[in-house]
């Protein structure tokens, strides 16, 4: 049986889609058995940890806890609550929880202009950040580890430039300009907190500052810090602003540092905690995954809009965490048994859990906690004994839960009768819970590759159909069914448009220019002229391979260049088949063109606010495309009568 062209095309599409989905699922797989891959090393490491910590009982030893806060975005222009509630966090929350340290993972200040488009460092915002920490006295009893985010790097020419206020107004910037490590040795637990500063140098104004960049020097620094941490600590907690999916390493000797591989190469690495993505505007509130090397990557929701912070603990070598909204009490964290979703074989002494004698829970409130209870069936509740500090313990019989997945229910009450209730799944035989698909995609793929793929796809969509239609000798045939008939009607108009040289060649040539030529020339940093290309940005004699340019170009392709083809096809129909239009009718007929032109003007205006007059005037992507749109519309609407008659005859050819 001979297959039709449609069937063959459909099979090809399905084949390509299947290959794509198989590759995607392989990239975001979280069931990669790191422990089996490094079996001997994992056994030796976890056995050594188990021997060091001993049995898990109700002892208050061998446990430390810490906090994380991210994307504070202190601003003098918007939402004063960010500042006042951040002060509350330092004054009250940190004092009540009394962590060993606090991680502040970037975007400490907003650095955005009053119009919300321009971007530059605002000294007053840094002074607020500095004074709140200083006046609260939070650093008297707690270690504060802060690191830069992309907003803290807007319009910063060099690390030593005057605009780099992180040096003078942060806690760690005076000592550590970029990546660093801090060692915590407390209560029998030795942890290295390794901060990764991936802010590019120079730091451009927004939006070309979304992807982190590790240059050759920083790659070597991080490697050395990791080697040092392995010798001085039992556990490594990595922290930074950008997720690993948003960090690009520059090539050195035709090789690039694989940050995920570097983190995962040490059995002591338990987690990489970060911010930056703001939980995708709250759409992905639990953006967690286990990377294929076996460690956790945990993005924390922002303080900016959602007032989130994280409590994490290492208890007898087991890493646990919970994310909490500010001023929500009581706060509970189960540290034994370990949450089933977040177990890390080969990195934690998991064999201690089935041998443990007590369930262990950290409980905090802004007033005294009066009662903590647990249940394995929500019918019979057992009261936990308060040991010391925030630790509550309750005896249990692990042998009753040897196989399968089980749920521990915990509820706590404080003296103001505020209650907290959590469900905590666990297993003792290695039964795992799956991570959600969207967090895995956002944290496990390479954002730069995704941006390039989107840009390339839109570029092909802009060019190939137009070229194919131009090569087609006869017009697409009409279909009897209404939806298909409407589509083929549009397709026929685009086919006619592709036959007009003065329209076809400018559209195709401009589409070819976009991935090759410069998009804008302007003052990308105060005092420095730079050139923006699709494949990177040239400034100060340095090429910054900023992949977000592809996303910026994708916006142009999606909302301007591709719609332009259909708008011109619609205008061509008006020119060929609609007569004697005047006044309001003429205006309504040209509404699609006016709407498209308005979008372009708005995008160009935003670009002017972001990068100034020079970039606006020398901006082939945003500004000059307006002139191209107007020119093509004018040429379409003023086609000579002879040319119009020729096109009408083409339209009348049999399909």
């Amino acid at each position: 049986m001979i297959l039709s062209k449609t069937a063959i095309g459909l099979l090809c599409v399905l084949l390509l889609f299947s290959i794509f989905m198989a590759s995607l699922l392989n990239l975001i797989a979280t069931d990669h058995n790191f422990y089996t891959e490094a079996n001997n090393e994992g056994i030796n490491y976890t056995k050594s940890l188990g021997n060091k910590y001993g049995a898990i009982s109700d002892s208050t030893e061998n446990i430390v806890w810490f906090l994380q806060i991210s994307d504070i975005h202190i601003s003098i222009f918007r939402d004063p609550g960010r500042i006042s509630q951040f002060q509350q966090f330092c004054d009250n929350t940190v004092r009540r929880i009394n962590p060993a340290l606090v991680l502040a993972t970037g975007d400490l200040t907003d650095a955005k202009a009053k119009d919300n488009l321009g971007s530059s460092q605002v000294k007053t915002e840094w002074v607020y950040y500095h004074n709140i920490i200083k006046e609260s006295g939070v650093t008297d009893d707690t270690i504060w580890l802060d690191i830069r985010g992309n907003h803290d790097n807007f319009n910063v020419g060099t690390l030593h430039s005057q605009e780099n206020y992180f040096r003078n107004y942060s806690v760690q910037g005076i000592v550590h300009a970029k990546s660093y490590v801090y060692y915590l040795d407390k209560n029998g637990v030795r942890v290295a907190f390794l901060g990764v500063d991936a802010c590019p140098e120079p730091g451009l104004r927004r939006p070309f500052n979304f992807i982190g960049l590790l240059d050759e020097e920083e790659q070597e620094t991080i490697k050395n810090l990791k080697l040092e941490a392995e010798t001085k600590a039992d556990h490594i907690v990595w922290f930074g602003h950008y997720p690993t999916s948003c960090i690009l390493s520059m090539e050195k000797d035709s090789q690039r540092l694989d940050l995920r591989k570097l983190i995962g190469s040490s059995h002591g690495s338990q987690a990489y905690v970060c911010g930056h993505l703001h939980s995708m505007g709250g759409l992905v509130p639990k953006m967690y995954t286990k990377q294929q090397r076996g460690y956790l990557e945990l993005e924390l929701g922002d303080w900016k809009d959602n007032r989130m912070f994280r409590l994490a603990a290492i208890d007898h070598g087991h890493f646990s965490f919970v994310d909490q909204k500010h001023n929500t009490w009581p706060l509970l964290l189960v540290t034994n048994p370990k949450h089933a979703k977040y177990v890390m074989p080969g990195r934690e002494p998991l064999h201690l859990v089935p041998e443990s004698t007590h369930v262990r829970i950290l409980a905090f409130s802004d007033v005294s906690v009066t009662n903590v209870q647990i249940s394995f069936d929500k019918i019979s509740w057992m009261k936990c004994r308060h040991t010391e500090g925030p630790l509550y313990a309750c005896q249990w019989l692990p042998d009753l839960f040897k196989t399968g997945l089980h749920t521990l229910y915990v509820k706590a009450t404080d003296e103001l009768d505020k209650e907290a209730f959590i469900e905590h799944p666990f297993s003792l035989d290695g039964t795992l819970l799956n991570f959600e698909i969207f967090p895995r995609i956002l944290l496990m793929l390479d954002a730069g590759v995704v941006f390039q793929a989107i840009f390339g796809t839109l570029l092909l969509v802009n060019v190939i159909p137009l070229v194919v239609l131009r090569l087609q000798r006869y017009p697409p045939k009409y279909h009897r069914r209404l939806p298909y008939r409407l589509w083929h009607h549009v397709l026929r108009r685009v086919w006619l448009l592709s036959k007009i040289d003065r329209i076809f060649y400018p559209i195709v040539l401009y589409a070819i220019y976009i991935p090759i030529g410069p998009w804008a020339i302007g003052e990308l940093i105060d005092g420095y002229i730079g050139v923006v290309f699709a494949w990177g940005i040239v400034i100060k004699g340095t090429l910054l391979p900023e992949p977000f340019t592809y996303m910026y170009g994708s916006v142009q392709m999606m909302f301007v260049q591709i719609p332009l083809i259909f708008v011109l096809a619609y205008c061509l129909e008006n020119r060929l088949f609609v007569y004697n239009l005047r006044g309001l009718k003429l205006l309504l007929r040209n509404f699609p063109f006016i709407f498209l032109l308005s979008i372009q003007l708005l995008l160009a205006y935003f670009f002017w606010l972001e990068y100034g007059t020079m970039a606006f005037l020398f901006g082939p992507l945003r500004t000059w495309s307006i002139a191209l749109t107007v020119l093509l519309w004018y040429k379409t609407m003023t086609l000579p009568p002879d040319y119009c008659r020729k096109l009408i005859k083409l339209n009348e050819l049999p399909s």
Side-chain angles (χ1 to χ4, degrees), residues 470-517:
R470 183 178 174 87
L471 296 175
Q472 189 172 323
R473 184 174 180 182
Y474 297 102
K477 62 181 179 180
Y478 284 114
H479 201 280
R480 291 184 179 180
R481 295 180 63 181
L482 184 60
Y484 296 102
R485 187 170 185 178
L486 290 174
W487 167 244
H488 283 94
H489 177 80
V490 173
L491 206 60
R492 185 179 283 242
R493 296 298 174 255
V494 176
W495 175 76
L496 282 176
L497 186 74
S498 70
K499 302 297 182 180
I500 306 174
D501 291 348
R502 67 190 72 184
I503 305 297
F504 172 81
Y505 286 112
I507 290 176
V508 172
L509 291 175
Y510 184 73
I512 294 173
Y513 169 84
I514 288 177
I516 299 173

Side-chain angles (χ1 to χ4, degrees), residues 141-173:
D141 303 311
T142 304
I143 303 300
W144 190 279
L145 304 181
D146 46 20
I147 202 162
R148 296 187 302 162
N150 58 314
H151 281 247
D152 306 319
N153 195 39
F154 283 156
N155 200 35
V156 176
T158 67
L159 278 174
H160 304 289
S161 67
Q162 185 178 351
E163 292 76 19
N164 185 16
Y165 296 121
F166 180 80
R167 292 183 310 157
N168 301 319
Y169 293 96
S170 70
V171 177
Q172 296 297 326

Side-chain angles (χ1 to χ4, degrees), residues 126-319:
W126 283 100
V127 171
Y128 270 117
Y129 175 76
H130 174 81
N131 288 345
I132 289 172
I133 293 174
K134 183 179 179 181
E135 292 171 6
S136 68
V138 67
T139 54
D140 295 341
D141 303 311
T142 304
I143 303 300
W144 190 279
L145 304 181
D146 46 20
I147 202 162
R148 296 187 302 162
N150 58 314
H151 281 247
D152 306 319
N153 195 39
F154 283 156
N155 200 35
V156 176
T158 67
L159 278 174
H160 304 289
S161 67
Q162 185 178 351
E163 292 76 19
N164 185 16
Y165 296 121
F166 180 80
R167 292 183 310 157
N168 301 319
Y169 293 96
S170 70
V171 177
Q172 296 297 326
I174 300 172
V175 182
H176 305 293
K178 294 199 75 175
S179 302
Y180 63 94
V181 65
Y182 176 83
Y183 296 100
L184 177 70
D185 191 344
K186 184 176 181 179
N187 205 25
V189 183
R190 297 186 304 169
V191 190
F193 290 88
L194 203 163
V196 177
D197 186 329
C199 290
E201 186 179 349
L204 304 177
R205 293 200 289 254
R206 64 188 304 266
F208 300 129
N209 201 341
F210 183 79
I211 298 295
L213 182 65
L214 296 175
D215 58 25
E216 297 177 8
E217 182 180 349
E218 203 61 20
Q219 291 176 42
E220 288 301 315
T221 298
I222 294 170
K223 288 179 183 177
N224 293 333
L225 291 175
K226 178 251 183 185
L227 291 173
E228 179 186 296
E230 287 177 320
T231 63
K232 293 185 177 181
D234 297 316
H235 313 284
I236 306 175
V237 174
W238 298 68
F239 67 98
H241 178 66
Y242 302 90
T244 57
S245 59
C246 297
I247 296 178
L248 176 66
S249 298
M250 295 185 70
E251 285 190 7
K252 181 182 180 181
D253 301 327
S254 300
Q255 292 185 341
R256 286 181 176 174
L257 172 70
D258 187 334
L259 182 60
R260 291 172 181 160
K261 186 176 181 180
L262 181 70
I263 295 173
S265 63
S266 171
H267 284 271
S269 296
Q270 292 191 318
Y272 177 79
V273 297
C274 59
H276 188 52
L277 296 181
H278 295 249
S279 299
M280 299 305 290
L283 297 175
V284 189
K286 295 184 178 181
M287 198 180 295
Y288 319 136
T289 193
K290 184 190 291 181
Q291 293 289 354
Q292 291 190 349
R293 299 292 296 181
Y295 64 92
L296 298 174
E297 180 161 349
L298 312 168
E299 197 261 3
L300 172 61
D302 60 86
W303 180 268
K304 173 188 174 185
D305 297 316
N306 297 299
R307 305 295 192 268
M308 298 298 294
F309 70 93
R310 172 174 292 151
L311 169 67
I314 298 177
D315 186 3
H316 288 76
H318 301 96
F319 179 89

Side-chain angles (χ1 to χ4, degrees), residues 384-397:
C384 296
R385 184 177 69 87
H386 180 218
T387 59
E388 184 181 341
L391 182 62
Y392 289 76
C394 184
Q395 285 187 319
W396 75 318
L397 299 173

Side-chain angles (χ1 to χ4, degrees), residues 56-61 63 315-316 332-337 356-363 369 371-376 382-396 408 410-411:
I56 302 176
S57 62
D58 59 352
S59 169
T60 56
E61 295 181 352
I63 182 172
D315 186 3
H316 288 76
L332 298 173
L333 175 61
V334 178
T335 62
N336 185 64
S356 63
T357 59
H358 287 75
V359 172
R360 293 163 64 86
I361 301 162
L362 295 175
V369 176
N371 187 35
V372 175
Q373 293 179 298
I374 65 169
S375 173
F376 294 99
M382 296 177 288
K383 186 174 181 178
C384 296
R385 184 177 69 87
H386 180 218
T387 59
E388 184 181 341
L391 182 62
Y392 289 76
C394 184
Q395 285 187 319
W396 75 318
L408 171 69
V410 185
K411 63 181 179 180

